[in-house]
Every structure is written in C-alpha cells, then in structure tokens.
Amino acid sequence: MTVQPRRVLLLSATIGEGHNATGRAVAEAAGRVWPGSEVSWLDALRAMGRWVPAAFNWIYVTNVESTPWLYDFFYDSLWRYRWFANASRRFVGAWSGRLLRQAIAEREPDLIVSTYPLGTAGLNWLRRRGELDVPVAAVVSDFSPHPFWVYPEVDLHYVMSEASLRAMRRAEPDAVGAVCAPPVVSAFRPGDRAAARRSFGLPEAGFTVLISCGSLGFGSVDRAVDAALRAEGVDRVVVVCGRNDGLRERFDTRAEERLVALGWVDDMPGLVACADVVVTNAGGATALEAVACGRSVIMFEPIAGHGRANAELMADAELAELCPRAADLTATLRRWAAEPDELAQQEQRALKHCQIADFTDQVAALAQLPRHRGRRALRSQDAFFVYATTPAVAQQTGAVLLLEGPSQSTRDWYEQIAERVERRASRLPLLTRRLVLRRTGRPQWIHDAAIDLHEHLRCREVRGEGSAAEAREEFFGTAVRTDRPPWELLLLHETDSGRVSVLAKLHHALGDGVAVTSTLLRLLTDNPPPVSAPGRGDRLKWHRRAWVIARGLVSLAGAGLAPASPWAGRSTPNRSFDGLELPAAEVRACARRDGVSSTALLLGLVAEALHRALPSPAPGQRFRVMVPRTARTGRSGVGTDEPGNHTASVSLDLPVGPMPVRQRVDSVAAELGKPDRTGQPAATRAVLAGLGSMPAPLHAWVVRRIYQRRFFNAVVSVLPGQRRPARMGAAQIAGVLPVLSLADGVGVAVGAVSWGERVGFGITTDTGLAPVAGVLTGHLRDAFAALRTGDGP
C-alpha cells in the first residue's frame, strides 16, 4: 500500500544550481507519485542567516578560483582527521539545526528530503535531540559523498553508484544508503541529436562538444575551450557560461566560427541532447544530467576538493573519462571523433547506469522509510554500568513477570509471547540498541532492529519448585550477551503447579527499572500504556541548584566509608535469587496506621530482615544501603519510556541493631528524609554527569573505585509500580518481582515494587559473601507478620 504524505519539505540551498536541480527532480517525482501533496522548499543557507548565502557563495568561488589549495586542504582534512570532521559537523549541525527548527515546525512536514549537506547536518542535529519523528532522507548528488554529506541519524541517503556507496560508508560507517537513478527531471532523457540541434539553430551534422561548468561558470573553462578547438574532428564547441557574464563576453570577442558561447540556458535538456560529448569539471548536476541523456562525459581539470573526488569516482565507475590536463582532453576528443564505436560504448554505459532503478519509485519509497538511529556514545549515567561490570559481577537488571490465566500448553504460551516479540520488539528503542565496546573511547550504542526471536526468547519446562529455582538462578546468574541487543526473555512453565512466569534480563546500561518495566509492558501486554510525554523540564535557578549540589557533596563526603559488613569481600560468580509477595492493601494499611510512607515501611521491613539475618548485630549497628530513586519527573523533562538510566541515588544507613520492628520502621522513616534535605540526589546526578567529561579510561577507573563495598553494604530499590495488573490475551501479569544487580564486593541487592494487589520483593545474593536469598525472603515474611500484628521484639 502506498503511503501518501500530505506535506513534503525539500531542504536545498542556492550555491550554484546543482542542489536546487536535484530538489526539482525530487519535487517532480513527488508530484507524480503523490498527486495532491503539498511540496514546499526551504533554503538552508537563508535559514542560517541573511548574510550566509552571499558569504558562502563568495567563499566557495574564491576558494575554487583563487585558493584551491585551501579548499583541498579542508576537504582532505575531513577524510584524514576524524576528530576534525566530527567537530565541523557538530558545529554546523547545531548552527543549522537551531535555525531550521522553527521553519520546519511551521510547515509540519510528513517527509523531509535534503539535497544540501549543511541542511542535512541540521536535520541530523534535530533528530539526535528527538525533535524529528517523520522520515528524513538525503539525495547526495555528488558522486563522492564526503563526511559533510552523510549522517547517522538520516534514515536513507540516495547516492549515485556502488562506488559512491562504498565512499559513503567510509565517510560515516553508521549511515544508511542506497544507489539511485540519476536525480534529474524527466526532461533529461535520451533524445534525437538532429532535432535538438535544429531547435537551437545548430547544424545537424558534425561532432559537437558541449562545455558546461555549472551555473557559476568557473574553473578552467578557457583552457577547456582551447583544448577542444585543437582536437581534429571537432566541428563545434558550445560553451555555457551560466551567470558568468564576464566569461561570455571574453568568448564573444573571439573570432572563432566553431565556438558558440551561451549565457543562462533555460532548456538545458535540449542543449545536452545536441552534444556528442559533455565536458565539465565538478561531477555534480551537469554530469548527472549528461549521463541521464546517455551522453559521454569528460571530467577536465576538476575543481579542488569534491570536484576532484567526484571525477575520480566517475572514472572508476566508467561513467566519465578523466582528463587532468589540456593535452589529455585534446587527445580524448580526437580519438572519440575518429572512433565512433568507442564513443557509442561510452554512451551505452551511461544508459545502462540510468536503468538501475526508476527514480520516481525510489522517491515513493521514502514515505515508508524505517527509522534509523546511528551509533552514539552512551550517556555518562549509562556508561557507568558498562565500567562497573567485572568478570564476577554482571551489571544487568531484570524482573520476573508472574502470569495467571487459563491453563494451556507450554507451546501455546510460547507462541503467544513470540508473536508479540516478533511484531513489537523492533519498534521499541530500548530493545534495538546494541552495545559497541571500544578499547579507549566511550562505549557506543548502534541501532540494530534486526531482532532474531530465537536469540532473545527461549522457553523451558520444569517440574518441582527446586527445578524452577535452579532455572531462575541459571538465567539470572549468566551475563546477558552483548554481541546483539543485550536483553533476553525466558518463558518458565512449572508443569506440576501450572505456574507460568516470564524472566527478563537486560544490560543495566539500557535503562533503569522504570524504563525496563515500561518497555516490557509495551512489548507484551494488550493495551500498553501510551508513550509518556516528557515534563516541562523546569529547573531551579543556577545559583540555587549549585548551592543544593554543594550541600549534597558535603553530605556525601561526610558520610565517609560504609560500616564494616560480614557480607562484603571479593565477589564470586555464585548467585542466589528468590522472591516474595505481600498483600499490597495490607502494606498500605500498615503504613497509614504507623504514619509513614509505603516506601519507608518497605525499607523498614528490609532493615528488619537484615537484622534477623546478620550474625549477632550490635546495638546501634548500621547497615548502609545505596538506594536508587527515579528522576523521571515533570521537573526533569524525562518520560517513563525514555531509554537510559535516570536515577538519583542516595546513601541511607539502616538501623539493624536490636529494637522493636515498629520502632525500626519509624527510625527508617526519619532517616529517609535526610538525603533530600541535604541535597544528596542533586549531588549524585551532578557527579555522574561530571564523570562523563573525563577521558573514557579515567571515567572507567573512577567508577570501579566508587561503586563497590567500601561505600555501601547493599543495593535496595523501591520501584514505582501500578495498581491495575496488565493483561496479555486471556492471561494477566498478576505480579512482578524486580531483579537488581550487585556491585563489586557487595553481597546483597533487594528490589520491591507494588503491582496490582501485591507487593513483590526480588532478592539477589552472592552466596560466596552472604546467605542464600531464601533466608532473607523468609525473614521479610516474618518481619511483615510481626509488624502487622504488633508482635516481635
């Protein structure tokens, strides 16, 4: 089915006429395939400033005619120094993107096609910031795409040949490209020479050379004319001077009957049809128009920079003859005039190239482009969990989704889930990121929507509770693979009891618990929650924010090292996992009765379980836990569906010495407010962001020294959940048990989430350092029973 965009935006620029000529070809094809659609134009240079078009045209002409060495140096530097190319593209992209933003928003396009590289840079900048949700394409009319032409966030680049495609990938490995037919208006097509010459008042017979060096008519035009006139067999030389009036006046004064000098020509298709050979010097629109007409092309003394690269690539593709000197041009014209068979072969190669595709069909395909996301460095907060990974401690987060529904076979359960994963996973940003690790640079994400179902979803039948526990420990105890998008699901069917669960694990760099839960719901449930809109992003004034951060840093520094813990030491790969569910209504009732928040009550239960599990805790003993808290609020401007880690961790000293359980809960509630009052959340966010400014090796070194047993004894998180269980066909996700990762040398991690009528606890322990997880879940159950009835010490 053809998708017809209502509004198509063409992004071009008037710097010469090549970019506009390509835009006209796109507009013509769009009008043919989408009748009734509105096609509008936007000049990228004009959008960048009133003075920019004149300044850039002057710089371009001056560089080509007066300082070609400078243009060559700049062009070569783009290829030779990656840092220079990236810095230049970022600068231009930010400049162009900021000024294009409003103009694009006013036009509300359904499709954007760029034919000018600086415009494409701006589109890439906007796309990286999440501001363009429509298909974005670029038509690269130069035969040699350079690093300024191609960008990782553009959904598709149309390039001119297979050799051009290889150059594009060298310029930007993450760019997506395809070879297209010459992007010229349909009037440029093979035509009858005699009829065309009659329409221009030229003699029908004779070998005719057309020299056209773009609308500005610069380069070695005089030498090209002289070299062509010296070639025996050349009967006529037609030279197009374009808007270069001085050039035409020079030729008009020459007493040469074989020379025809023209200014601006409206019927270029007819003029190209007159020629036997077209001579040009840049490899842009003129060369493409000649190829589309089936005419032989000679690249003579190519202009600096991109002109030289285009000429070499056209010659490699056998679509042009490269003549770097006047003598070469004379010899080639002499040979072709004397050997029409060789000229005919050159024309056939041009015609064959034009038949690779139909440009109208290729423009039609742009309306349905899949979204492409290029390679990008991880945010500092996400790279943190790559650097915190050790051989014994994998940084991955996950959950156990407890399903309830009609009894059915394992195969039926699997097919129900597999159908959803196949249909939805490739459209969820968090699930289409593949991790690229670099030896010295920051790790990167690369978009990978080619999801292989069998690599990400498995199923397993087990008998008996012990077998289910072993399956969970095997699944969560194995690090998720990073040679593909780092997430895995396991359907676990306990055939004796009929219990069914979905185990999910994801690399922690993909996102925090909120992002993971939201993504799993969108992947599996019937009516997933709508994508949440970010908040307004309101912030404190800079001086108030600085003061809050300073107070938080002082508080964190004053906390010092963590208290000694018997469950700390050298990490081992041995893992234990267990879960517990409590009635959510009773948890909330106990919290109201005791005048504390549900979060404080749950943390108090964890403190009581730790007290009961620790060997001989002393009066007044403290157990420091690191508590990640979501920063996805209206003030942050981050929605629940945004991938990545958006948390603010606080340090909390839980009382684990002997005391009544209700007193312990009250003590935890009092302790819970201190980090906010001292600014710890703002300080931890600032520290994590600041680490990203360090060189990657130093960043990694710092992370490994702060995220470990010296600074906290356990990781404990209370995640936001939802009151209503989500449905998956006839079944529902009745409960969730969060699974947290450990830190280096830390033996315990506890997660809790309120889900429907239940509060689910998930406990992870390193059994080389701490008791098996079942010991803590047993103590949690007993602690809640004591709190509910008021019994216990």
Side-chain angles (χ1 to χ4, degrees), residues 69-153:
W69 60 269
L70 183 59
Y71 192 27
D72 270 334
F73 175 76
F74 172 76
Y75 186 83
D76 291 342
S77 296
L78 289 175
W79 285 101
R80 186 173 302 170
Y81 307 111
R82 187 73 183 179
W83 66 267
F84 176 71
N86 289 340
S88 301
R89 297 196 306 172
R90 281 195 295 269
F91 172 75
V92 171
W95 178 11
S96 172
R98 285 188 172 92
L99 296 171
L100 288 172
R101 176 194 281 135
Q102 183 62 33
I104 292 173
E106 290 173 355
R107 288 163 173 78
E108 298 182 342
D110 302 304
L111 167 67
I112 304 175
V113 181
S114 174
T115 65
Y116 182 58
L118 271 63
T120 311
L123 297 176
N124 182 80
W125 184 85
L126 290 169
R127 179 60 80 74
R128 285 184 72 90
R129 295 172 62 86
E131 298 184 38
L132 284 181
D133 293 328
V134 300
V136 174
V139 182
V140 184
S141 52
D142 275 4
F143 259 81
S144 179
H146 53 74
F148 244 129
W149 251 122
V150 292
Y151 293 88
E153 298 296 325

Side-chain angles (χ1 to χ4, degrees), residues 434-650:
R434 179 160 53 85
L435 190 61
V436 178
L437 302 176
R438 306 165 71 198
R439 295 190 65 179
T440 57
R442 188 182 296 281
Q444 296 176 325
W445 290 125
I446 185 170
H447 181 67
D448 186 355
I451 303 297
D452 186 333
L453 175 68
H454 303 292
E455 290 182 340
H456 295 277
L457 174 65
R458 295 181 292 114
C459 69
R460 183 170 175 179
E461 284 187 355
V462 294
R463 295 183 180 276
E465 178 61 32
S467 298
E470 289 177 7
R472 286 191 291 269
E473 291 181 0
E474 179 183 336
F475 179 77
F476 289 118
T478 304
V480 67
R481 290 178 58 174
T482 57
D483 58 347
R484 55 204 186 204
W487 59 273
E488 296 175 23
L489 304 177
L490 173 66
L491 171 66
L492 189 61
H493 191 184
E494 302 173 48
T495 54
D496 286 348
S497 63
R499 287 193 292 266
V500 179
S501 57
V502 176
L503 281 57
K505 64 180 177 184
L506 304 88
H507 197 293
H508 210 328
L510 284 173
D512 52 36
V514 174
V516 168
T517 302
S518 177
T519 296
L520 291 176
L521 288 176
R522 298 184 62 77
L523 179 68
L524 299 175
T525 59
D526 293 340
N527 297 302
V531 175
S532 63
R536 294 181 300 129
D538 296 334
R539 290 178 175 268
L540 296 172
K541 297 289 186 180
W542 70 267
H543 58 278
R544 291 190 60 192
R545 187 167 67 252
W547 170 245
V548 171
I549 291 172
R551 282 194 297 127
L553 292 173
V554 170
S555 174
L556 290 172
L561 301 179
S565 168
W567 297 344
R570 184 180 295 275
S571 293
T572 75
N574 304 316
R575 293 291 179 272
S576 173
F577 303 91
D578 200 16
L580 168 70
E581 290 185 297
L582 301 176
E586 294 189 34
V587 169
R588 291 192 291 269
C590 288
R592 287 194 301 271
R593 180 199 67 194
D594 294 342
V596 298
S597 67
S598 294
T599 297
L601 186 135
L602 295 176
L603 290 171
L605 291 177
V606 172
E608 180 67 19
L610 292 170
H611 160 72
R612 299 180 182 216
L614 285 166
S616 304
Q621 184 172 336
R622 297 277 168 165
F623 194 89
R624 182 168 300 168
V625 296
M626 191 267 288
V627 183
R629 290 167 26 178
T630 183
R632 297 170 184 268
T633 64
R635 294 182 67 86
S636 70
V638 179
T640 57
D641 298 88
E642 179 73 17
N645 292 270
H646 298 273
T647 58
S649 297
V650 299

